[in-house]
Every structure is written in structure tokens, then in C-alpha cells.
């Protein structure tokens, strides 16, 4: 009996150390993103800036497409992913001086904001909707 309790305590301790390590890793990543860069703003500050500047440019269809594109992200991280992608889309829209968020800005922003492994889902979704993305092949290959 006491040997089993000892093993359970050791197992519980290892699980706790593992969970604390995982939590610490994500907190440290968030901390690094919040550190100011050379321009005085952090990555998160820039994301918030682009989202605020382009909030009025989003239509219902564009928001629905963005929500569709972040579906594969686990629910826990979906809001963070949506903000990152929306910020990059907003940055693209502001650089191109668009009056409204367009499908082209969404596709380009999504490609630039996400890692290459997520592009397969984008391609699949665009093919389902019969949207031509051939003009973005160079961005898909570059990343």
C-alpha cells in the first residue's frame, strides 16, 4: 500500500512539473511578444493597432471567411490566431490603401500570418469555394 502511494506521489509530482513547464513556456512566449522592439511598440501592440485601424473595413462576408479559416485552430488558441491573422490582413490592406477588406487582402494576409503547414487548409478551403488563388502561388512557395 505505501509503495503504491509513493509511486502516485512521484507520478503526481512529475505531472505537475510538466504542466508548470508547459504553462511557463506559453507565458514566456507571451512575455517576449510584449517586449518593445526598436520602434517602441511590441508585436502585440502592432497587432492591436492594425486591428483597430481596419475594424471598420470588415464586412460580414469577410468576417465569416476569417472565422472559417481559423476553424482548424483549437478553440483555446482560436482568438489569438484570429487576432494575429486579422492584424496581418489589416496591415496588407493599409499598405495597399484599400477602402474595404477584400478577398485578395484576406488570402495574402492569411498566407503571410500563418506557417506553411496551415496553407494546405487554405488551399483546400479556397478550392471548395472555387476561388482562384494562382496569383498567390509565389507567396505559398516563399514561406
Amino acid at each position: 500500500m505505501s509503495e503504491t502511494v509513493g509511486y502516485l506521489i512521484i507520478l503526481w509530482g512529475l505531472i505537475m512539473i510538466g504542466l508548470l513547464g508547459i504553462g511557463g513556456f506559453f507565458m514566456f512566449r507571451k512575455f517576449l511578444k510584449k517586449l518593445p522592439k526598436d520602434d517602441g511598440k511590441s508585436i502585440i501592440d502592432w497587432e492591436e493597432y492594425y486591428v483597430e485601424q481596419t475594424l471598420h473595413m470588415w464586412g460580414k462576408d469577410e468576417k465569416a471567411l476569417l472565422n472559417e479559416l481559423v476553424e482548424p485552430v483549437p478553440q483555446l488558441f482560436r482568438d489569438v490566431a484570429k487576432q494575429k491573422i486579422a492584424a496581418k490582413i489589416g496591415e496588407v490592406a493599409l499598405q495597399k490603401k484599400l477602402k474595404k477588406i477584400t478577398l485578395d487582402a484576406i488570402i495574402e494576409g492569411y498566407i503571410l500570418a500563418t506557417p506553411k503547414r496551415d496553407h494546405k487548409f487554405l488551399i483546400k478551403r479556397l478550392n471548395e469555394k472555387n476561388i482562384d488563388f494562382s496569383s498567390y502561388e509565389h507567396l505559398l512557395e516563399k514561406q
Side-chain angles (χ1 to χ4, degrees):
M1 177 73 173
S2 65
E3 196 173 303
T4 306
V5 173
Y7 286 130
L8 287 175
I9 291 173
I10 291 171
L11 179 66
W12 179 80
L14 291 173
I15 290 172
M16 289 305 295
I17 289 170
L19 291 174
L20 287 172
I22 292 169
F25 170 75
F26 284 107
M27 287 177 62
F28 187 68
R29 280 186 51 196
K30 184 81 165 185
F31 170 74
L32 287 178
K33 286 184 177 182
K34 203 64 174 155
L35 286 176
K37 304 292 179 202
D38 295 336
D39 59 4
K41 286 190 174 188
S42 69
I43 294 171
I44 294 176
D45 291 338
W46 278 114
E47 286 178 3
E48 290 171 355
Y49 170 78
Y50 287 123
V51 169
E52 288 173 14
Q53 292 296 313
T54 59
L55 197 56
H56 66 282
M57 298 166 67
W58 288 84
K60 280 185 181 180
D61 294 337
E62 290 80 16
K63 285 181 184 178
L65 181 59
L66 178 62
N67 287 330
E68 234 178 274
L69 292 175
V70 296
E71 275 179 9
V73 177
Q75 185 67 38
L76 185 62
F77 306 110
R78 198 169 290 165
D79 290 336
V80 175
K82 191 190 299 187
Q83 177 169 338
K84 180 181 178 185
I85 295 168
K88 187 54 82 170
I89 293 168
E91 182 181 354
V92 167
L94 290 176
Q95 285 175 349
K96 292 184 175 187
K97 296 177 175 42
L98 300 175
K99 303 278 187 234
K100 183 179 183 290
I101 299 294
T102 62
L103 181 63
D104 292 332
I106 292 173
I107 295 171
E108 185 176 345
Y110 184 89
I111 292 170
L112 295 173
T114 57
K116 191 171 188 166
R117 67 178 180 270
D118 293 346
H119 296 169
K120 291 177 188 173
F121 177 76
L122 173 68
I123 292 168
K124 178 183 166 194
R125 188 60 61 151
L126 292 176
N127 283 331
E128 287 174 3
K129 293 181 168 282
N130 296 323
I131 297 172
D132 180 34
F133 61 92
S134 59
S135 59
Y136 301 100
E137 295 281 342
H138 67 286
L139 290 174
L140 291 169
E141 294 169 3
K142 187 166 57 171
Q143 287 203 336

